[in-house]
Structures are given as structure tokens and as C-alpha cells.
């Protein structure tokens, strides 16, 4: 006769796991809203603090080549002032990266707060981030060839 191991009873319900997944999104959502409001009212102070606290690009100092993120600090300051075209002149990748982060954040909210589960990792989603990765590589090459 075979002795079977005892059946373990789950101590936490599925709702508990769902709640644990939602809490970080709720906290980060509140932080994003608060930081956005702070950025709207204190734009000049934030831009100055970013400029002063930025250590500069270590990759550029070591190699003499611009990395894909070079100019990101100035681009962030331009975005805080509302100058989208200026941000694109400093670093074209920063506005695209912020758009990609926004898309991912919205996707996470839709997956965790709706019952419609088709917002997972679909083919379009995966292709978008493959294209984004290629854009980073192309930007790295183009900005060093043309000195952008």
C-alpha cells in the first residue's frame, strides 16, 4: 500500500495575491501624480537640481564616445519646462523612452485592475520592445557618426 503525502491547504486566498500585486502599483501611481504636481509648480528648481546633481556621462569620459543616454539630463530639464522639441534636440531617446515607460505602466495597470486578461505579453507588445531596442542601438550609432 502506498502512503500519500498530506494535502497542503493554501493559507492565503487568491484575492490576497491579487492585492499584493496591486499595492505597489497604487503606491507608484500616487508617487507619479505627486511628483508630476511638484514638477508643474517647481519646474525651475527641479531643472537646477538635476543639473547640479548630475555627475555627467562616465561612458563618455572614459571612451570619448557619446552613449545613447548622453544629453538626457538637459533633455529632462527641457521636458520639465515643456520644451518637447528642445528635449528631442538634446537626446531623441529620452522622450521615446518615457513614452515606452508610460505604455508599460498603463499595461501593468490594465493587467492588474481589469478582468480583461488580453493585456499580457502579446505579439504586438513584444515587437514594440524589440523595435525600441533596435532604436536604442541605431541612435547610439547615428549620434556618433554624425556627431549629434
Amino acid at each position: 500500500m502506498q502512503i500519500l503525502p498530506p494535502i497542503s491547504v493554501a493559507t492565503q486566498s487568491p484575492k490576497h495575491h491579487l492585492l499584493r500585486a496591486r499595492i505597489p502599483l497604487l503606491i507608484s501611481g500616487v508617487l507619479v501624480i505627486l511628483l508630476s504636481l511638484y514638477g508643474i509648480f517647481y519646474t525651475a528648481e527641479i531643472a537646477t537640481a538635476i543639473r547640479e546633481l548630475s555627475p555627467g556621462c562616465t561612458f563618455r569620459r572614459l571612451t570619448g564616445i557619446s552613449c545613447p543616454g548622453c544629453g538626457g539630463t538637459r533633455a529632462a530639464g527641457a521636458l520639465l519646462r515643456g520644451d518637447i522639441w528642445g528635449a528631442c534636440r538634446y537626446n531623441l531617446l529620452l522622450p521615446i523612452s518615457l513614452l515606452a515607460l508610460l505604455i508599460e505602466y498603463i499595461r501593468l495597470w490594465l493587467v492588474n485592475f481589469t478582468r480583461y486578461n488580453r493585456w499580457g505579453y502579446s505579439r504586438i507588445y513584444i515587437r514594440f520592445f524589440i523595435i525600441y531596442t533596435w532604436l536604442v542601438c541605431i541612435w547610439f550609432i547615428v549620434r556618433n557618426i554624425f556627431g549629434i
Side-chain angles (χ1 to χ4, degrees):
M1 180 160 105
Q2 182 181 7
I3 298 174
L4 298 174
I7 299 172
S8 63
V9 179
T11 57
Q12 297 175 346
S13 67
K15 282 186 176 181
H16 178 75
H17 291 291
L18 188 61
L19 184 63
R20 284 185 64 194
R22 289 179 177 174
I23 287 175
L25 282 174
L26 289 171
I27 292 171
S28 65
V30 169
L31 287 175
V32 165
I33 291 170
L34 289 175
L35 286 173
S36 299
L37 289 173
Y38 185 78
I40 289 170
F41 294 113
Y42 297 102
T43 304
E45 290 83 359
I46 292 174
T48 303
I50 287 173
R51 255 192 328 273
E52 290 174 358
L53 295 175
S54 174
C57 182
T58 306
F59 184 80
R60 188 171 185 169
R61 261 188 266 139
L62 292 174
T63 64
I65 300 171
S66 296
C67 74
C70 280
T73 304
R74 291 176 302 220
L79 279 176
L80 284 171
R81 289 188 304 274
D83 184 11
I84 296 172
W85 297 116
C88 289
R89 277 193 313 270
Y90 288 126
N91 187 337
L92 185 62
L93 195 60
L94 183 74
I96 294 171
S97 299
L98 291 176
L99 179 64
L101 284 173
L102 180 66
I103 289 170
E104 172 61 12
Y105 194 71
I106 290 170
R107 187 197 69 82
L108 281 173
W109 271 81
L110 290 173
V111 166
N112 285 300
F113 289 100
T114 64
R115 294 182 184 211
Y116 188 64
N117 200 15
R118 291 204 47 200
W119 295 104
Y121 293 107
S122 66
R123 289 182 185 171
I124 295 172
Y125 177 78
I126 292 170
R127 285 181 186 157
F128 172 77
F129 280 98
I130 289 172
I131 291 170
Y132 174 76
T133 304
W134 277 105
L135 281 174
V136 171
C137 295
I138 290 168
W139 174 245
F140 177 65
I141 294 167
V142 166
R143 82 177 311 173
N144 286 301
I145 289 174
F146 295 111
I148 298 174

